Amino acid sequence: MSRGWLQSALLVLLSLAAFAAGAVEVRELRVATGEERTRLVLDLSASVDYKLFALENPHRIVIDLKSASMGRGARVPDFRPGVLQRVRTGVQNGRDLRVVLDLQSGVRPRSFIEPPGDGRGHRLVIDLPSEAPAVAQAPARTVQTALPSSDRDIVIAIDAGHGGRDPGAIGPAGTFEKTITLAVAREVARQVNAMRGYKAVLIRDSDVFIPLEQRYRLAREAQADLFVSIHADAAPRSSAAGSSVYVLSTRGATNEAARWLADRENAADLVGGVKLDDKDNTLAAVLLDLAQSATMKASEDAANQVLNALKRVGKAHKPAVERANFVVLRSPDVPSMLVEAAFISNPGEERKLNDPAYRTRLSAAVADGIRDFFSLQPPPGTWVASNATERAREHIVARGETLSAIAVRHGVPLARLRAANAGRLRGDVVRVGDRLQIPGA
């Protein structure tokens, strides 16, 4: 046996040992089946790079985990088959772990890495809806699909802030912000679903942590027409009170545009149905600017309607919509807003947030604001757009509003607004709580 052969064999063994030392282990694999989804959780020894993709004929989801393997004792548990029929594991490329999920039907999965918390290490979470949503097989929006021929619902993505290991702010009585935001989000979703022509999608529907960037990406995957993130603010002064509504700042939009430009070749993301990966920097930047300008204008219009509706429920912390560099508002093609329902750091407002009746009124105001916005700007191809008529709409006067400002907001001439409300007005004077009929624009 030659010395060269021994050296080669030693190098191979050392390489294998180095790979084994650096590989990520799947320590446990868990499956939880519920009415709305099936969740697969892989407990990991460390964070891992992974790739997830779907295949058809038969339907299955494939997850490739880079430099990973099944640990000792890790096995596929028994579970009740539903949308998930079977879980298989194997080795890919000699060093990666491949997990294959055999499905009953095609679904759109959601996946994310959960950082250490709750006494556990890193976890890879894959959620499979129990029933394929209407958007599961829908292609990315293009010029052709942006104007569908059928009357679809307006999709509202509702994001309950914080969750899981992130409790958010904590009130004087110990109330977690994550608990309040989930309760409000569920009630807003219920009220949105009760409106003809609307459909609500909850970004999180349980006490789980979802990374901020993943939240608005999930809204894009659902092809949402509007993204609303629910929070309950905290302030150093316990006397701070009132609701606030935020939209993305110009700085945040610029940061996101730069990221999209940097990632466009790998991600091949779409902006208004146009791929960026084959465009030069100047043209891609122009397309992004156009898309973001339109999105930010729609965000501000929608936020104004929601803030006006919230003023009818209680005090507003600031009289106008505010701007901030919130990560969850950075979707370049989905109008987005962040609603601070109240100050959980204020003892009185903490008590109100824990009152289901108050949460119902608060949620109704958010839903009303959403409806007010889309009644003025319904997306083409929706049931709301198809059924828009010249019939009058109602506007309830909020603090600080004037008759001329209301006419401008609804896009109708001041003279028509006066005529539609003859007998209700004393000149051009309006009072808080007055109900005005808004004629068709």
Side-chain angles (χ1 to χ4, degrees):
M1 186 179 295
S2 67
R3 178 177 296 178
W5 187 91
L6 288 172
Q7 289 176 337
S8 299
L10 181 59
L11 286 173
V12 170
L13 290 173
L14 288 174
S15 298
L16 290 173
F19 165 70
V24 175
E25 278 192 349
V26 175
R27 293 174 170 169
E28 186 179 356
L29 195 152
R30 294 175 279 130
V31 177
T33 302
E35 292 184 1
E36 297 182 354
R37 71 179 178 207
T38 296
R39 168 165 286 186
L40 176 72
V41 180
L42 280 67
D43 290 309
L44 308 170
S45 61
S47 186
V48 68
D49 291 333
Y50 73 96
K51 179 173 64 175
L52 182 149
F53 55 95
L55 297 173
E56 297 181 350
N57 299 321
H59 293 291
R60 56 201 185 279
I61 301 295
V62 179
I63 309 108
D64 285 337
L65 288 75
K66 187 176 180 181
S67 300
S69 62
M70 294 290 285
R72 287 185 180 179
R75 63 178 185 82
V76 176
D78 295 330
F79 61 91
R80 176 168 52 87
V83 65
L84 179 60
Q85 295 288 299
R86 186 172 59 156
V87 179
R88 297 178 282 130
T89 64
V91 178
Q92 174 74 4
N93 299 328
R95 56 181 299 171
D96 300 337
L97 174 64
R98 168 163 288 187
V99 180
V100 179
L101 312 181
D102 294 323
L103 307 178
Q104 186 180 51
S105 59
V107 298
R108 182 183 289 265
R110 296 181 180 181
S111 67
F112 54 92
I113 294 288
E114 180 87 14
D118 302 328
R120 294 184 178 272
H122 288 86
R123 285 152 285 173
L124 172 59
V125 180
I126 299 100
D127 283 339
L128 307 171
S130 295
E131 295 183 0
V135 299
Q137 301 299 324
R141 294 186 196 184
T142 64
V143 173
Q144 290 77 21
T145 60
L147 300 174
S149 57
S150 60
D151 294 344
R152 67 173 180 85
D153 290 337
I154 293 175
V155 179
I156 311 298
I158 304 169
D159 170 42
H162 307 282
R165 66 181 180 84
D166 174 18
I170 302 176
T175 304
F176 287 170
E177 182 181 3
K178 68 175 184 178
T179 305
I180 294 299
T181 59
L182 183 58
V184 173
R186 284 172 170 168
E187 179 59 22
V188 173
R190 186 189 70 80
Q191 301 214 24
V192 166
N193 284 328
M195 300 188 306
R196 177 75 183 272
Y198 291 83
K199 174 186 175 183
V201 175
L202 283 170
I203 298 301
R204 75 172 178 95
D205 57 358
S206 60
D207 186 18
V208 296
F209 173 81
I210 301 177
L212 295 177
E213 290 186 355
Q214 183 75 4
R215 293 175 186 245
Y216 71 76
R217 287 174 183 164
L218 290 172
R220 293 189 72 245
E221 289 178 8
Q223 296 191 353
D225 296 285
L226 182 67
F227 174 86
V228 182
S229 188
I230 306 294
H231 288 256
D233 211 350
R237 294 181 298 106
S238 62
S239 59
S243 302
S244 305
V245 183
Y246 290 85
V247 294
L248 183 64
S249 68
T250 304
R251 178 182 176 185
T254 302
N255 291 346
E256 187 64 11
R259 189 189 69 79
W260 275 56
L261 282 171
D263 293 348
R264 72 184 191 278
E265 291 184 1
N266 293 329
D269 279 310
L270 301 173
V271 176
V274 180
K275 288 188 177 182
L276 298 181
D277 56 340
D278 59 350
K279 305 296 187 293
D280 62 41
N281 285 344
T282 302
L283 179 56
V286 170
L287 292 172
L288 275 169
D289 183 64
L290 288 171
Q292 285 191 320
S293 296
T295 300
M296 292 178 73
K297 176 63 169 65
S299 299
E300 187 168 3
D301 290 346
N304 272 311
Q305 295 291 350
V306 169
L307 181 60
N308 287 337
L310 286 169
K311 289 176 182 177
R312 301 196 289 265
V313 175
K315 174 184 175 183
H317 182 60
K318 293 288 180 67
V321 171
E322 301 179 72
R323 296 184 179 275
N325 187 13
F326 289 118
V327 173
V328 293
L329 302 180
R330 289 188 181 180
S331 178
D333 56 349
V334 180
S336 306
M337 73 179 78
L338 186 145
V339 176
E340 295 282 7
F343 280 86
I344 200 170
S345 53
N346 181 310
E349 295 210 329
E350 180 187 17
R351 285 193 296 272
K352 289 197 296 184
L353 290 170
N354 278 304
D355 178 9
Y358 177 78
R359 290 200 302 266
T360 298
R361 295 196 302 273
L362 182 78
S363 302
V366 175
D368 286 346
I370 291 170
R371 181 174 52 197
D372 290 344
F373 168 68
F374 283 112
S375 69
L376 296 172
Q377 303 183 40
T382 61
W383 183 91
V384 174
S386 297
N387 289 271
T389 67
E390 288 293 308
R391 66 181 181 274
R393 300 182 304 277
E394 188 176 71
H395 176 94
I396 302 177
V397 179
R399 295 183 185 90
E401 289 189 316
T402 63
L403 190 66
S404 59
I406 294 169
V408 170
R409 176 174 295 116
H410 289 280
V412 298
L414 180 58
R416 284 194 67 192
L417 185 60
R418 286 196 193 103
N421 291 276
R424 293 187 178 89
L425 296 173
R426 299 174 183 85
D428 283 356
V429 177
V430 293
R431 296 174 299 180
V432 174
D434 282 350
R435 294 176 179 270
L436 302 181
Q437 296 300 309
I438 309 297

